[in-house]
Amino acid sequence: MSLAIGVDVGGTKVAAGLVDEQGRIIAKLKRSTPAASPLLTEQAIADVVTELLAGHEVTAIGLGAAGFVDSARATMLFAPNLAWRDEPLKQRVEERLGRAVVVENDANASAWAEARFGAARGYRDVMLVAVGTGIGAAIIIGGELYRGRWGIAGEPGHVRVVPDGRLCGCGNRGCWEQYASGNALVAEAREFARRTPKGAMRLLQLGGGLPEGISGPEITQAATEGDPAALRCFQTVGGWLGQGLADLAAVLDPACFVIGGGVSEAGELLLEPARTAFERALTGRGHRPFAEITVAQLGENAGIVGAADLAREASQVPVPQVPVPHITVPETTRRPLFRRPLLSRRAL
Amino acid sequence: MSLAIGVDVGGTKVAAGLVDEQGRIIAKLKRSTPAASPLLTEQAIADVVTELLAGHEVTAIGLGAAGFVDSARATMLFAPNLAWRDEPLKQRVEERLGRAVVVENDANASAWAEARFGAARGYRDVMLVAVGTGIGAAIIIGGELYRGRWGIAGEPGHVRVVPDGRLCGCGNRGCWEQYASGNALVAEAREFARRTPKGAMRLLQLGGGLPEGISGPEITQAATEGDPAALRCFQTVGGWLGQGLADLAAVLDPACFVIGGGVSEAGELLLEPARTAFERALTGRGHRPFAEITVAQLGENAGIVGAADLAREASQVPVPQVPVPHITVPETTRRPLFRRPLLSRRAL
């Protein structure tokens, strides 16, 4: 049995799993990391991988990271919601581990997992849209991940949907993820609670009395109970989601959209208004079929499973790549590489 | 030498050419058609093809049509700027000609021509954006046309760029082609001439004194002469074009955008403001390369050359398809098929 390790590298946590060829997770670990420190995140990755490696024969190690990964699948070019800028993630983790890793965009990893083992099985042209803090996405064309010329295709979260709209972490205004993400849902609910506390009584109650106490789970719970304000928040965000899916369908005409990410756990609360908006907005409607809009099946494990499977695949189909240093670079040699102030070894 | 016929089927004219394997046009014909009558257009297609067939051995016939073509490459599902709705174009033309034709979206045909013989040669991931009356587009991925699940990928002209924006021929509001097309350019200039005739003196002069006399060539001429109002029109429309290209790059990350269509004949008047807006709007700029934005090379012949080449390719690689009737259906049998009021035989 061939085992691979997949690591889901987020802003505030690292989750890793030992994954078999059928996409099953044999063992799993999680570690919290401060969002602002790539260094601490890299150390946390190395730690969880080392722990999972103990006592197992592992064929490949894959990292799925929330940001723009370059076409060499080595460097985190830019992460709108994290502090990472041109970070040589692959090299840094390989130095620590002493063996090769494959770096992939986290939405690409999740989409791959859904295509191989989840909601997108059997589809050749499919788009995964991960609705979490922001919006991640991945494009599968002809059954293969499409990465674009520079490796960073599938970032519709940063398509402008409102001229001069809300400011985005990417530096632009009016990006889709400012309207259709988990952050947008929470901002909508909190703003409502601030302006109209009487209408938001249930939301405030669940949030411990303060608008700042309201986040995703509270909004989902209130909406499930039928609270009109919470339902309205889902309708607004779901409406923006569906409009954006219609715009993506105009460009990509996929068979299916798989909606993943934390907010997708709200299921039909999000998908029903999204489908309604999609069917209202799709260009050429009435003369073309509607793409399916379905919820992801692998939940929070998708990133781990996909990163592992993509790394396994990469290890089986050798691609020309820069030689990987299979030695641990001594600390003294490594230091000058860092461009940011170094944390003491103790802090690691 | 293998010859193929390519037909560029627009709303108001049909242009056809005899094309060799190197994409050279040996002979060419044009015919005007009324935009509202698919029937007359189909007859015009059959006429020009018949004329070109005389005395030549032709291996394949391809039609490139301005609208949504289904995945069987047979039916014009919907044409935002034409009267066609679920029109079985392939069948209708085959009945008239007594031989097989291949139907393709016109932007797909043009993109294919640019990829094989023009500005997109050597690129694997490229997007053609045809800026004409509306905006057509085509996506080439891994060196192949990407058509989407239902054959209608590559319609970014109908992505919503302004909520509650200008009404579009597709029935939606705020579509990109209402801001970045030739129609938008002309509307901008005419509206300006109406509101501020003194500022639009040169434009009005070229347009024969009336705002309605101003169209694309007049605006291009005035801008070339340095007329500030005409330059401003190109800057506005070019700005919308560049913003849309940045949005497409966020999703597709192509190596290159090839700008075709009638308005692209204005060259840098359009492309310079488009590039400026693109580089200002691209998400992750500074951490990723800018895609090239270049002008199409084959001009108005691209549709003919691409349709011919795609038809030749389809005839060489046999694909499973519905048997083609190689007989001319008698008029009496054919009549009940038409769902629209029949024109008399004389009118044809």
Side-chain angles (χ1 to χ4, degrees):
Chain A
M1 188 177 60
S2 159
L3 293 176
I5 289 176
V7 189
D8 189 355
V9 184
T12 54
K13 68 167 177 40
V14 162
L18 202 58
V19 183
D20 75 8
E21 279 172 323
Q22 274 71 51
R24 285 172 302 217
I25 294 183
I26 310 295
K28 193 172 159 182
L29 288 172
K30 262 192 199 184
R31 202 66 50 94
S32 289
T33 60
S37 167
L39 208 61
L40 291 178
T41 304
E42 284 150 11
Q43 190 55 48
I45 295 168
D47 288 348
V48 289
V49 171
T50 304
E51 202 169 322
L52 286 173
L53 279 169
H56 292 284
E57 186 72 32
V58 167
T59 55
I61 301 165
L63 317 181
F68 295 12
V69 176
D70 73 342
S71 58
R73 294 153 84 183
T75 299
M76 291 281 291
L77 298 170
F78 177 64
N81 296 305
L82 297 173
W84 296 13
R85 302 288 182 271
D86 300 312
E87 180 73 16
L89 180 62
K90 178 182 164 75
Q91 183 197 337
R92 294 285 157 82
V93 174
E94 286 179 344
E95 282 169 3
R96 284 180 155 81
L97 282 176
R99 58 179 288 179
V101 303
V102 171
V103 178
E104 189 59 71
N105 169 270
D106 63 341
N108 280 1
S110 297
W112 186 249
E114 295 290 342
R116 290 266 291 135
F117 310 110
R121 251 177 312 177
Y123 289 106
R124 289 183 58 76
D125 301 322
V126 53
M127 190 156 189
L128 177 109
V129 176
V131 185
T133 309
I135 291 185
I139 301 167
I140 289 177
I141 281 177
E144 294 293 328
L145 266 181
Y146 171 67
R147 294 186 177 87
R149 169 63 184 87
W150 288 290
I152 46 184
E155 292 289 347
H158 303 285
V159 163
R160 189 176 81 171
V161 299
V162 179
D164 299 318
R166 297 175 193 156
L167 197 59
C168 181
C170 82
N172 287 342
R173 280 193 176 275
C175 291
W176 189 33
E177 74 171 29
Q178 296 306 318
Y179 298 83
S181 66
N183 268 0
L185 182 77
V186 170
E188 185 89 0
R190 288 183 185 173
E191 198 192 325
F192 178 69
R194 263 180 231 115
R195 278 187 285 102
T196 319
K198 280 189 183 161
M201 267 167 57
R202 182 60 185 141
L203 281 167
L204 281 165
Q205 196 178 21
L206 289 167
L210 287 173
E212 288 65 37
I214 305 170
S215 61
E218 289 77 30
I219 306 169
T220 304
Q221 188 182 330
T224 308
E225 295 166 7
D227 178 66
L231 283 168
R232 189 73 214 175
C233 291
F234 271 110
Q235 275 157 18
T236 301
V237 169
W240 281 105
L241 181 63
Q243 170 69 46
L245 297 181
D247 291 333
L248 288 170
V251 177
L252 285 169
D253 184 27
C256 175
F257 289 101
V258 176
I259 311 300
V263 186
S264 73
E265 286 164 27
E268 289 302 309
L269 287 173
L270 180 73
L271 262 60
E272 191 277 328
R275 277 195 210 99
T276 303
F278 178 78
E279 294 179 7
R280 218 175 264 164
L282 186 68
T283 189
R285 59 192 171 280
H287 304 277
R288 64 187 290 182
F290 291 119
E292 200 184 332
I293 299 176
T294 187
V295 78
Q297 285 174 2
L298 302 178
E300 60 164 25
N301 289 333
I304 293 173
V305 172
D309 202 70
L310 283 166
R312 182 187 284 116
E313 197 191 48
S315 75
Q316 283 162 354
V317 184
V319 283
Q321 57 181 336
V322 181
V324 173
H326 276 275
I327 47 154
T328 306
V329 180
E331 182 75 357
T332 47
T333 321
R334 210 160 63 211
R335 278 195 170 171
L337 290 172
F338 295 102
R339 276 170 299 167
R340 287 186 195 75
L342 256 184
L343 294 163
S344 75
R345 191 128 186 92
R346 185 167 249 151
L348 296 174
Chain B
M1 187 177 61
S2 159
L3 292 176
I5 289 176
V7 189
D8 189 356
V9 185
T12 55
K13 68 168 176 39
V14 162
L18 203 57
V19 184
D20 75 7
E21 279 172 324
Q22 275 70 51
R24 286 173 301 217
I25 294 183
I26 311 296
K28 192 173 160 182
L29 288 172
K30 262 193 199 183
R31 203 64 53 91
S32 288
T33 59
S37 168
L39 207 59
L40 292 177
T41 304
E42 284 150 12
Q43 190 56 48
I45 294 167
D47 289 349
V48 290
V49 171
T50 304
E51 203 169 320
L52 286 173
L53 278 170
H56 292 284
E57 185 72 32
V58 166
T59 54
I61 301 164
L63 316 180
F68 296 12
V69 176
D70 72 342
S71 57
R73 295 153 82 184
T75 299
M76 291 281 291
L77 298 169
F78 177 64
N81 297 307
L82 297 174
W84 297 13
R85 302 287 182 272
D86 301 311
E87 181 72 17
L89 180 61
K90 178 182 165 74
Q91 182 197 337
R92 294 283 156 82
V93 175
E94 285 179 345
E95 282 169 5
R96 284 180 156 81
L97 283 176
R99 57 178 289 180
V101 303
V102 171
V103 178
E104 189 59 71
N105 169 269
D106 64 341
N108 280 2
S110 297
W112 186 249
E114 294 289 343
R116 290 267 290 135
F117 310 110
R121 250 176 313 176
Y123 290 105
R124 289 182 59 75
D125 300 322
V126 53
M127 190 155 188
L128 177 110
V129 177
V131 185
T133 309
I135 290 185
I139 302 168
I140 289 177
I141 282 177
E144 294 293 327
L145 267 180
Y146 171 68
R147 296 187 175 87
R149 169 62 184 87
W150 288 290
I152 46 184
E155 291 289 348
H158 303 285
V159 163
R160 188 176 82 171
V161 299
V162 179
D164 299 318
R166 296 175 193 155
L167 197 58
C168 181
C170 82
N172 287 343
R173 278 193 178 275
C175 291
W176 189 33
E177 75 171 28
Q178 296 306 317
Y179 297 83
S181 67
N183 268 359
L185 182 77
V186 170
E188 185 89 1
R190 288 183 185 174
E191 199 192 324
F192 178 69
R194 263 181 231 113
R195 277 187 286 104
T196 319
K198 281 191 182 159
M201 268 166 56
R202 183 61 186 141
L203 281 167
L204 280 165
Q205 195 177 23
L206 290 167
L210 287 173
E212 288 64 37
I214 305 169
S215 59
E218 290 77 30
I219 306 169
T220 304
Q221 188 183 328
T224 307
E225 295 167 6
D227 178 65
L231 283 168
R232 189 72 213 175
C233 291
F234 271 110
Q235 276 158 17
T236 301
V237 169
W240 280 105
L241 181 63
Q243 170 70 46
L245 296 182
D247 291 333
L248 288 170
V251 177
L252 285 169
D253 184 27
C256 175
F257 289 100
V258 176
I259 311 299
V263 186
S264 72
E265 286 163 27
E268 288 301 308
L269 287 173
L270 180 73
L271 262 59
E272 191 277 327
R275 278 194 210 100
T276 303
F278 177 78
E279 294 179 7
R280 216 174 265 164
L282 186 68
T283 189
R285 59 193 170 278
H287 305 277
R288 62 187 292 181
F290 291 119
E292 200 183 332
I293 299 177
T294 187
V295 78
Q297 286 174 1
L298 302 178
E300 60 164 26
N301 288 333
I304 293 173
V305 172
D309 202 71
L310 283 166
R312 183 187 284 117
E313 197 191 49
S315 75
Q316 283 162 353
V317 184
V319 282
Q321 57 180 340
V322 181
V324 172
H326 277 274
I327 48 156
T328 306
V329 181
E331 182 75 357
T332 47
T333 321
R334 211 160 63 211
R335 279 195 171 173
L337 289 173
F338 295 103
R339 277 170 299 166
R340 288 184 194 76
L342 257 184
L343 294 164
S344 75
R345 190 126 187 91
R346 185 167 248 152
L348 295 176

